Amino acid sequence: MQPNKPELRRQAAAARETLARAAGDIGARLVTSFASAILIKPCGTIAGYHPFRDEADPLPLLRFLAAAGWECALPVPVDPPDGLVFRAWRPGGALVTGRFGILQPPETNQALRPDIVLVPLLAYDGAGRRLGYGAGYYDRALANLRRAGPVLAVGIAYAGQRVAAVPTQAHDEPLDMVVTEEGAMDFRKAVS
């Protein structure tokens, strides 16, 4: 029997903590995996996140993309129905402590519409389903972005965060890809 979402979250958080300690700094490997899987020219806007707890760290990837000419943004939680707004940020730029103690750009930074959203997660499966923390911020933000036009949702994870199946509900937004220190999985190819 498959565990329910709260139990799976507990198990996945414990597993991710162990993976983070064992993997060390995976930043350079994430850059390699991302660059080999995603066309990085022409440049666009990419929304990352500032790592919280033991999330896979996308900051080296954001530094790489910013140096290549990409415009970067980080998420700022907002009340429903939006979930998140993505505010402009350059690596090394000012950050403030936001909701949940997560570092984010100041409210004065311009809101941007990303072409690619890097998504943190607790677990993912081979169909592109993502297990988050349960508040639905990324699901609402991705749904809003997708209603307005194309956006690529890319989970950033340790390879060991993959599970057999993530239970989903109607509001859960799928990932298009997952990038790990071992490579990338493109879920769009599975459905086309």
Side-chain angles (χ1 to χ4, degrees):
M1 181 173 151
Q2 181 160 317
N4 60 27
K5 274 190 170 182
E7 178 59 20
L8 187 55
R9 280 189 186 96
R10 187 192 65 71
Q11 292 172 6
R16 186 179 69 186
E17 181 181 357
T18 301
L19 289 165
R21 278 198 308 264
D25 182 5
I26 64 169
R29 290 178 284 167
L30 285 175
V31 169
T32 300
S33 295
F34 184 91
S36 67
I38 298 174
L39 180 66
I40 60 171
K41 293 283 185 181
C43 298
T45 300
I46 186 158
Y49 59 89
H50 198 283
F52 183 65
R53 297 183 182 138
D54 46 22
E55 293 170 339
D57 185 355
L59 296 179
L61 177 56
L62 292 175
R63 284 191 291 274
F64 170 80
L65 292 170
W70 282 74
E71 190 166 21
C72 297
L74 294 179
V76 175
V78 294
D79 293 327
D82 297 324
L84 299 168
V85 63
F86 298 97
R87 297 208 174 274
W89 175 80
R90 295 288 296 171
L95 293 169
V96 298
T97 302
R99 197 181 293 184
F100 312 115
I102 299 171
L103 294 176
Q104 63 188 41
E107 294 288 328
T108 54
N109 288 23
Q110 178 185 6
L112 302 175
R113 187 195 187 285
D115 302 299
I116 299 175
V117 178
L118 304 181
V119 184
L121 51 87
L122 286 168
Y124 68 95
D125 67 18
R129 294 180 292 252
R130 166 192 168 268
L131 183 68
Y133 295 110
Y137 285 99
Y138 275 93
D139 292 315
R140 288 192 302 276
L142 288 171
N144 289 333
L145 289 168
R146 286 173 169 158
R147 276 193 290 277
V151 64
L152 189 69
V154 180
I156 300 295
Y158 299 98
Q161 287 179 257
R162 184 174 175 174
V163 296
V166 172
T168 59
Q169 297 171 303
H171 68 272
D172 291 330
E173 288 289 320
L175 297 170
D176 297 302
M177 301 180 78
V178 167
V179 172
T180 74
E181 75 279 16
E182 293 181 4
M185 296 178 65
D186 190 338
F187 307 113
R188 298 168 302 166
K189 294 175 183 174
V191 295
S192 54

